[in-house]
Amino acid sequence: QHDEQSFVLRDRRALSRDGFATAVVCVDRITGDMVSEPEMVSSGIVDHGNVPELKVGAIETIRQELENGMTQGMEQSELKNRVTNALTAYLYKQTGRRPLVTVVLVETG
């Protein structure tokens, strides 16, 4: 019980310090290509007004990762990890923070 509480407190401190970002990405089940613009939700990542530019860059990062990689036939978990890692690296480079990044892949087709 005590260990679980300490993990919860650690995660809450990290969220309050670095924020979070969630991306919902719709991909074609067979090709792995994006079928629509990703949706981004974030909170607590920046203290000033560059959130719109940050989101545009994040969406472009997702697009590049899906277009530049060989995504056809890739397992959903591997594709999700690649997008998560690319998005985490982009956000760190832009903000100097390590937000909790969650990527939700929705397969269509």
Side-chain angles (χ1 to χ4, degrees), residues 71-92:
T71 57
Q72 188 169 359
M74 186 177 288
E75 290 290 324
Q76 186 177 18
S77 60
E78 184 180 350
L79 189 58
K80 183 177 171 180
N81 285 340
R82 285 180 59 171
V83 173
T84 300
N85 291 340
L87 195 52
T88 299
Y90 168 77
L91 291 171
Y92 180 73

Side-chain angles (χ1 to χ4, degrees), residues 22-36:
T22 300
V24 179
V25 185
C26 293
V27 295
D28 184 277
R29 178 174 290 129
I30 296 170
T31 66
D33 295 334
M34 261 191 334
V35 295
S36 63

Side-chain angles (χ1 to χ4, degrees), residues 33-89:
D33 295 334
M34 261 191 334
V35 295
S36 63
E37 187 84 354
E39 294 288 327
M40 287 285 304
V41 178
S42 65
S43 180
I45 294 178
V46 291
D47 298 324
H48 38 74
N50 69 347
V51 172
E53 293 84 4
L54 194 66
K55 284 186 179 183
V56 168
I59 289 170
E60 183 58 29
T61 298
I62 294 167
R63 177 179 286 112
Q64 287 177 0
E65 188 62 31
L66 292 175
E67 288 177 356
N68 293 342
M70 297 297 292
T71 57
Q72 188 169 359
M74 186 177 288
E75 290 290 324
Q76 186 177 18
S77 60
E78 184 180 350
L79 189 58
K80 183 177 171 180
N81 285 340
R82 285 180 59 171
V83 173
T84 300
N85 291 340
L87 195 52
T88 299

